[in-house]
């Protein structure tokens, strides 16, 4: 059986590692520069082929993986001028972005009329897991297509969970990020309040670490707070705001009251409004502390 040809758009923090694993595990790979030329040049040196438009990528591929920011970017790549749909050929598009579920379902319907199958397959875990090929993937779509693309997903994933029809992968991703960003907002506020009372982050950590409130997300969050490791959790605060805003829009669409979600979103909105959107999520703790007149940096 001839190996299916794969195209990739979005070689950012997650995408570069994903694409490298696809290439290493034997898929013919074409890549399209979205923001970073460095990643494209590195992958071309390893055997990938570069194309110059989404249309050309579709023409060179049977399956295209998207790992861009969100729904507007996905729509632009698929339906924009010289986009994937302009190739006029059958194609499977795997959207690994964190997108708005309602927009995903609507886009899938429009693309289906053009012979393109859209699968939502957002990601869990970190860029380090992308490099290691151990991401979590939540997949929404027709079971026959999911079975077809599963070997490809397993090239960069340690766990693939089918969630249901198209759109459910993105819904589950929003719920996953609601939990993780909720933890981040709680950690930030708790440590700032502790600092106000004279409790250092080191004391805070000595109580939480190893107890029932400890978890993997807590550990990467605290690796920045305690060690000032900026790369501990490379997920921008502005993307956290985007995802919690998508959750708010979804809750509104289904007439669901989500006061906790609104509070979490407001923590990130305040940081973005103060010009901290490019900071990574663990740095929210510094912003909350500074806004309350305290510091989380241990003094010599």
């Amino acid at each position: 059986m001839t190996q299916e040809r794969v195209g990739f758009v979005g070689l950012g923090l997650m995408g570069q590692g994903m694409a490298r694993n696809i290439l290493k595990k034997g898929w013919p790979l074409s890549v399209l520069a979205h923001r970073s030329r460095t990643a494209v040049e590195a992958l071309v040196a390893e055997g990938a082929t570069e194309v110059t438009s989404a249309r050309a990528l579709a023409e060179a591929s049977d399956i295209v993986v998207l790992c861009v920011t969100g729904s507007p970017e996905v729509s632009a790549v698929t339906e924009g001028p010289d986009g994937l749909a302009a190739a006029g050929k059958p194609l499977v598009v795997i959207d690994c972005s964190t997108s708005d579920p309602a927009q995903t379902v609507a886009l899938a319907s429009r693309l289906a009329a053009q012979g393109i199958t859209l699968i939502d397959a957002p990601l869990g875990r970190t860029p380090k897991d992308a490099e290691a090929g151990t991401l979590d993937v939540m997949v929404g779509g027709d079971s026959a297509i999911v079975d077809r693309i599963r070997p490809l997903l397993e090239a960069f994933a340690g766990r693939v969970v089918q969630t249901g029809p198209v759109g459910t992968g993105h819904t589950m991703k929003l719920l996953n990020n609601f939990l993780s960003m909720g933890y981040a907002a709680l950690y930030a506020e708790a440590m700032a309040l502790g600092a106000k009372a004279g409790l250092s982050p080191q004391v805070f950590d000595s109580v939480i670490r190893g107890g029932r409130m400890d978890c993997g997300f807590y550990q990467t969050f605290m690796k920045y707070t305690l060690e000032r490791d900026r790369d501990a959790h490379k997920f921008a605060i502005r993307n956290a705001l985007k995802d919690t805003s998508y959750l708010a829009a979804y809750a509104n669409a289904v007439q669901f009251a989500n006061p906790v979600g609104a509070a979490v979103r407001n923590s990130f909105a305040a940081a973005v409004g103060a010009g901290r959107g490019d900071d990574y999520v663990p740095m929210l703790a510094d912003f909350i502390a500074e806004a309350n007149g305290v510091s989380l940096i241990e003094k010599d």
Side-chain angles (χ1 to χ4, degrees):
M1 180 178 175
T2 302
Q3 188 73 286
E4 294 196 273
R5 300 167 301 162
V6 178
F8 205 105
V9 183
L11 300 168
L13 293 175
M14 298 289 267
Q16 185 172 358
M18 295 162 63
R20 179 167 288 112
N21 275 299
I22 290 169
L23 189 61
K24 283 181 177 178
K25 293 172 186 177
W27 273 270
L29 182 69
S30 298
V31 295
L32 174 65
H34 183 59
R35 291 180 179 172
S36 170
R37 283 226 48 86
T38 302
V40 170
E41 290 164 3
L43 287 163
V44 168
E46 294 168 25
T49 300
E50 183 181 4
V51 298
T52 57
S53 71
R55 177 175 182 164
L57 190 71
E59 290 169 346
S61 306
D62 304 300
I63 301 170
V64 173
V65 180
L66 307 181
C67 192
V68 293
T69 304
S71 294
E73 292 79 9
V74 171
S75 180
V77 171
T78 54
E79 300 182 298
D82 221 18
L84 297 175
K89 57 169 284 191
L91 194 67
V92 174
V93 176
I94 305 173
D95 180 11
C96 294
S97 317
T98 301
S99 298
D100 181 334
Q103 294 190 48
T104 297
V105 172
L107 177 61
S109 179
R110 296 195 301 271
L111 292 177
Q114 301 175 71
I116 298 173
T117 300
L118 180 67
I119 298 292
D120 52 320
L123 312 166
R125 297 187 181 269
T126 69
K128 290 181 180 179
D129 294 292
E131 288 286 350
T134 55
L135 292 170
D136 291 341
V137 183
M138 297 148 262
V139 191
D142 176 79
S143 292
I145 301 297
V146 173
D147 288 344
R148 172 183 163 187
I149 66 171
R150 186 178 291 272
L152 175 61
L153 298 177
E154 289 175 344
F156 54 79
R159 186 169 61 144
V160 177
V161 178
Q162 186 170 2
T163 54
V166 67
T168 60
H170 281 145
T171 302
M172 188 63 233
K173 171 62 173 177
L174 292 185
L175 297 176
N176 181 80
N177 279 20
F178 171 40
L179 292 176
S180 58
M181 296 307 105
Y183 276 132
L186 285 170
Y187 300 153
E189 195 166 314
M191 281 193 288
L193 183 56
K196 201 80 168 175
L199 296 168
S200 69
Q202 289 72 21
V203 170
F204 180 90
D205 182 67
S206 69
V207 173
I208 303 302
R209 190 175 297 269
R212 294 183 66 188
M213 296 297 102
D214 194 358
C215 65
F217 184 89
Y218 172 81
Q219 291 168 19
T220 56
F221 190 97
M222 294 301 291
K223 188 171 179 62
Y224 169 74
T225 305
L226 299 176
E227 301 174 26
R228 297 285 124 180
D229 180 355
R230 290 181 58 87
D231 295 332
H233 192 113
K234 295 170 74 172
F235 186 70
I237 285 175
R238 69 174 67 259
N239 285 333
L241 176 58
K242 170 187 71 76
D243 293 353
T244 51
S245 296
Y246 280 162
L247 179 74
Y250 178 72
N252 185 60
V254 297
Q255 299 182 342
F256 181 86
N258 66 325
V260 175
V264 171
R265 179 190 177 280
N266 285 340
S267 292
F268 292 101
V272 170
R276 304 285 282 269
D278 291 331
D279 285 356
Y280 294 136
V281 161
M283 300 174 194
L284 179 68
D286 288 339
F287 170 74
I288 297 295
E290 291 163 13
N292 285 280
V294 293
S295 173
L296 301 180
I297 299 175
E298 188 174 27
K299 296 178 182 179
D300 294 330

